[in-house]
């Protein structure tokens, strides 16, 4: 039996997120499934699992985005499928804050603010500490509570956060979130 592919789920997929996630994947020696980006996600779960298995390195960073769909949209459907596939080992998730219209939220184990500080509170889209303890508001996030994920890290809007997470600056918050998941995995 082949070893399961190690995957980090990321609940964002717009162009800024794609650039940041690609950059971080390259920096850590992993891979990003670039075609998983989209606002909303366009690839289904089985297509993503097939791409995951074609990827020669891990961890594999996979993006999911609902573009504000009410209830379970295409990003969440694909995320559920990938996380439930027995040939994939989800080692963590990055829950991305947004200004959602439908007040979706999820529990997080820890958040990283735009200054790189770990906090037990959630963060908002700009990466600023929120008032909610252990939860984050966003799009494509509520499904994370339904899945068995070892660690969920909350962050602001990937590749943005008021200029603190741009690719030009090395996407330091996204990188720190990925490194934290890898560190906790052992």
């Amino acid at each position: 039996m082949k070893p399961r592919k190690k995957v980090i789920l990321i609940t964002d997929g717009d162009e800024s997120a794609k650039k940041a996630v690609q950059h971080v994947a390259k920096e850590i020696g992993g891979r990003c499934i670039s075609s998983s980006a989209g606002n909303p996600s366009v690839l289904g779960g089985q297509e993503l699992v097939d791409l995951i298995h074609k990827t020669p390195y891990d961890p594999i960073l996979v993006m999911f985005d609902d573009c504000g769909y009410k209830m379970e949209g295409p990003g969440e459907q694909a995320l559920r499928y990938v996380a439930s596939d027995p040939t994939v080992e989800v080692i963590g998730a990055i829950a991305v804050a947004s200004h959602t219209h439908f007040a979706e939220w999820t529990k997080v184990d820890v958040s990283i603010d735009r200054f790189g500080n770990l906090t037990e509170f959630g963060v908002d889209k700009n990466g600023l500490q929120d008032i909610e303890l252990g939860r984050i508001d966003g799009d494509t996030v509520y499904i994370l509570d339904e899945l068995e994920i070892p660690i969920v890290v909350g962050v602001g809007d990937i590749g943005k956060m008021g200029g603190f997470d741009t690719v030009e600056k090395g996407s330091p918050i996204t990188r720190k979130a990925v490194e934290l998941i890898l560190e906790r995995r052992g």
Side-chain angles (χ1 to χ4, degrees), residues 5 30-33 50-60:
K5 293 289 190 168
R31 286 295 185 267
C32 165
I33 298 192
D50 292 343
L51 290 171
I52 287 167
H53 287 292
K54 289 178 183 175
T55 305
Y57 304 96
D58 59 24
I60 303 163

Side-chain angles (χ1 to χ4, degrees), residues 32-86:
C32 165
I33 298 192
S34 298
S35 58
S36 70
N39 192 2
S41 295
V42 294
L43 296 181
Q46 184 60 58
E47 292 169 298
L48 289 170
V49 169
D50 292 343
L51 290 171
I52 287 167
H53 287 292
K54 289 178 183 175
T55 305
Y57 304 96
D58 59 24
I60 303 163
L61 310 181
V62 185
M63 295 169 277
F64 303 89
D65 199 313
D66 269 349
C67 190
Y69 275 65
K70 187 175 183 181
M71 305 307 285
E72 189 169 302
E76 286 165 329
Q77 291 168 1
L79 191 152
R80 180 189 304 279
Y81 188 97
V82 169
S84 302
D85 188 284

